[in-house]
Amino acid sequence: PATGRIERFEAHDQELGTVVRALALNLGMGYQVDPTVAGRVSARLENVSLEEALRTVVGQSGYTFSIQNGVIRVGPAQM
């Protein structure tokens, strides 16, 4: 499970990769976004875990994420 909580975060019609980057940097983590990841998201999050935040912003776009060794990775959903 990821550590860290997002106290407050808001994104309005932003590129998914930009949102993932902001979440990662907010918690001092690395990130890797697959080049095929595209789309825009809007979300307002308060007092949620990193995993909950990613599930919200990445999940609504149809992609998956993993968190390993302090790096958030986002890519296409596996068939």
Side-chain angles (χ1 to χ4, degrees):
T3 58
R5 292 195 67 79
I6 307 297
E7 293 302 318
R8 180 170 292 163
F9 183 84
E10 192 162 343
H12 178 69
D13 193 33
Q14 293 183 352
E15 288 289 335
L16 178 57
T18 301
V19 173
V20 171
R21 176 182 181 272
L23 289 170
L25 294 178
N26 189 340
L27 294 174
M29 299 179 72
Y31 65 96
Q32 179 181 20
V33 179
D34 188 278
T36 62
V37 170
R40 302 183 82 76
V41 295
S42 294
R44 181 170 184 235
L45 308 169
E46 289 189 36
N47 195 30
V48 296
S49 70
L50 174 59
E51 191 170 320
E52 291 169 316
L54 289 169
R55 198 177 305 123
T56 299
V57 298
V58 174
Q60 73 174 304
S61 298
Y63 296 103
T64 60
F65 70 90
S66 65
I67 304 166
Q68 294 179 319
N69 301 322
V71 178
I72 300 167
R73 290 182 173 82
V74 178
Q78 301 297 320
M79 297 297 286

